[in-house]
């Protein structure tokens, strides 16, 4: 009997222990669910706020890029409210017709560039207009229609006459086909300020002392004439003839004025 009573007591004790363990496990499970719910509730507004910030910064920017108001450099060459047909070529864009007959008048359809304002003969503002000009390329224009760079390193008095490479630019009021800036071979044509009449007068009057050669900047020849008394007059006569026909010129190679 005593052994049976002990066995029953042990079974009851084990049952109680199992019940306590089951209670504790359920309690821990419930506490874990509650913590996850609290975390979800707190994190949901934060993610929503972050999404709202992202959408605001992506779709609706706070600042807009300022529109460009820079004026092109060609506008300074374009007279405001002047006749469209008299605008410089840099102020317009034209449809070039290369099939025109060379040397004959031709008409071209043109349009003013942005920021350029011009009017017609009736003082009405217009953007599209026509211009008339002679059908020829810019490098075929007469010398009076373009300006070229000058060179002071070539000899103007030489045989044959020297040439130099120059860069020429068409004047603003002239219209032509092709490039408005082009290279050209030109004859040396510059002056250092020496007068032909002064050189000839010195050669006739004081040529025996080398005054003409000194005036033209030819110091060696001037000293030679000075100490030889004009080559006993022969050198003096020869210089009068050479200066008279323009064969002897300034030492810097320039032309007489």
């Amino acid at each position: 009997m005593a052994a049976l009573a002990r066995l029953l007591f042990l079974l009851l004790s084990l049952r109680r222990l199992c019940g306590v363990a089951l209670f504790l496990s359920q309690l821990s499970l419930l506490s874990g669910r509650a913590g996850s719910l609290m975390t979800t509730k707190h994190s949901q507004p934060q993610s929503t706020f972050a999404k709202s910030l992202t959408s605001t910064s992506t779709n609706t920017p706070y600042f807009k890029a300022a529109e460009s108001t820079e004026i092109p450099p060609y506008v300074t060459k374009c007279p405001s409210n002047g006749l469209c047909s008299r605008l410089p070529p840099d102020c317009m864009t034209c449809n070039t017709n290369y099939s025109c007959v060379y040397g004959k008048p031709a008409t071209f359809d043109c349009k003013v560039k942005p920021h350029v304002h011009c009017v017609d003969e009736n003082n009405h503002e217009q953007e599209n207009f026509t211009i008339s000009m002679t059908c020829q390329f810019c490098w075929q224009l007469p010398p009076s229609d373009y300006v070229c760079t000058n060179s002071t390193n070539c000899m103007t008095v030489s045989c044959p006459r020297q040439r130099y490479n120059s860069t020429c630019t068409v004047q603003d009021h002239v219209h032509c086909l092709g490039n408005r800036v082009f290279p050209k071979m030109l004859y040396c044509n510059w002056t250092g300020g020496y007068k032909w009449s002064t050189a000839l007068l010195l050669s006739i009057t004081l040529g025996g002392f080398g005054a003409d050669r000194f005036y033209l900047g030819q110091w060696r020849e001037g000293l030679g004439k000075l100490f030889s008394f004009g080559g006993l007059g022969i050198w003096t006569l020869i210089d009068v003839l050479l200066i008279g026909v323009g064969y002897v010129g300034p030492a810097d190679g320039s032309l007489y004025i």
Side-chain angles (χ1 to χ4, degrees), residues 2 7 20 24 43 52 61 70-71 91 117 134 192 219 229 238 240 249:
L7 182 60
V20 172
L24 291 176
S43 61
S52 65
E70 184 179 358
I71 299 177
C91 306
H117 303 280
T134 304
W219 297 95
F229 298 102
I238 294 175
V240 171

Side-chain angles (χ1 to χ4, degrees), residues 70-117:
E70 184 179 358
I71 299 177
Y74 61 78
V75 177
T76 57
K77 301 180 181 179
C78 308
S80 180
N81 296 326
L83 289 177
C84 295
S85 58
R86 296 185 179 180
L87 285 175
D90 293 337
C91 306
M92 65 181 75
T93 303
C94 299
N95 297 326
T96 306
N97 181 15
Y98 288 102
S99 62
C100 60
V101 181
Y102 172 73
K104 300 294 183 179
T107 302
F108 298 88
D109 296 327
C110 301
K111 181 180 180 180
V112 294
K113 291 184 178 180
H115 303 283
V116 178
H117 303 280

Side-chain angles (χ1 to χ4, degrees), residues 24-38:
L24 291 176
S25 63
Q26 290 179 353
L27 182 63
S28 62
L29 182 61
L30 290 174
S31 63
R33 289 182 178 178
S36 63
L37 288 174
M38 293 294 291

Side-chain angles (χ1 to χ4, degrees), residues 8-147:
L8 292 174
F9 177 77
L10 290 174
L11 291 174
L12 291 174
S13 299
L14 289 173
R15 184 178 179 182
R16 290 178 179 176
L17 289 175
C18 291
V20 172
L22 180 62
F23 174 77
L24 291 176
S25 63
Q26 290 179 353
L27 182 63
S28 62
L29 182 61
L30 290 174
S31 63
R33 289 182 178 178
S36 63
L37 288 174
M38 293 294 291
T39 304
T40 305
K41 289 181 180 180
H42 284 291
S43 61
Q44 183 175 1
Q46 184 177 2
S47 62
T48 306
F49 180 69
K51 289 181 180 180
S52 65
L53 285 179
T54 305
S55 62
T56 302
S57 61
T58 303
N59 299 328
T60 52
Y62 289 101
F63 302 99
K64 293 183 178 180
E67 295 182 358
S68 177
T69 58
E70 184 179 358
I71 299 177
Y74 61 78
V75 177
T76 57
K77 301 180 181 179
C78 308
S80 180
N81 296 326
L83 289 177
C84 295
S85 58
R86 296 185 179 180
L87 285 175
D90 293 337
C91 306
M92 65 181 75
T93 303
C94 299
N95 297 326
T96 306
N97 181 15
Y98 288 102
S99 62
C100 60
V101 181
Y102 172 73
K104 300 294 183 179
T107 302
F108 298 88
D109 296 327
C110 301
K111 181 180 180 180
V112 294
K113 291 184 178 180
H115 303 283
V116 178
H117 303 280
C118 63
V119 295
D120 57 7
E121 288 77 5
N122 298 323
N123 204 25
H124 295 155
E125 186 172 356
Q126 60 179 171
E127 293 184 357
N128 300 312
F129 57 96
T130 59
I131 62 171
S132 299
M133 66 179 184
T134 304
C135 180
Q136 59 183 348
F137 287 96
C138 295
W139 59 270
Q140 296 173 322
L141 292 171
S144 58
D145 290 339
Y146 53 83
V147 179

